Amino acid sequence: MILLDGHGLTIEGLWRIARGDERGALAMPAREAMARSRALVEELAAQPRAIYGISTGFGPLSHERVSPDEQADLQLNLLYHLAVGQGEPLSDTETRAVMAARANALARGFSGIRPEVVEMLLDALGAGVLPEIPSELSLIHI
């Protein structure tokens, strides 16, 4: 078991997860940091002030306010907007490496994402449930 905390994942550890030799798991300090970050996001989202990407649109729409009732739709629409790409899909090993690296980056606790989301990502990875990631024009290449 390789514990992910956003700081200590080595290339060797990433490779072991990517090959399926070991599973990744969220370290308790990372889970706690993520929970604190998420609590802050929820506290800020409850305030009437503009919070970029939470109570406002993105990019050129950042001056547009989003009502509390529409905030969940805003986040879902962002995912739809970013679901781009073409080309042959990455191999299973490459996909597993991307998933593990993303889980590790989110484990730092700076994104405001709930720890349960990262745990679900790691559970899917451990169970071999892999998304199809296009090899070209995908956000993983940015």
Side-chain angles (χ1 to χ4, degrees), residues 24-112:
L26 192 56
M28 187 53 69
R31 188 179 214 301
E32 293 165 354
M34 293 176 71
R36 285 190 304 273
S37 175
R38 180 61 189 187
L40 177 61
V41 167
E42 290 177 9
E43 178 185 326
L44 292 172
Q47 297 177 8
R49 66 185 205 181
I51 308 294
Y52 180 80
I54 295 174
S55 61
T56 73
F58 299 94
L61 298 176
S62 63
H63 65 281
E64 298 290 331
R65 293 297 297 263
V66 176
S67 74
D69 293 340
E70 297 173 320
Q71 289 176 4
D73 288 339
L74 175 70
Q75 300 306 311
L76 186 58
N77 288 336
L78 176 64
L79 292 176
Y80 292 147
H81 173 74
L82 297 176
V84 298
Q86 65 183 26
E88 293 296 315
L90 297 180
S91 70
D92 285 356
T93 301
E94 292 166 324
T95 298
R96 293 172 63 80
V98 168
M99 292 172 70
R102 175 56 57 207
N104 188 62
L106 293 170
R108 293 186 72 133
F110 297 147
S111 70

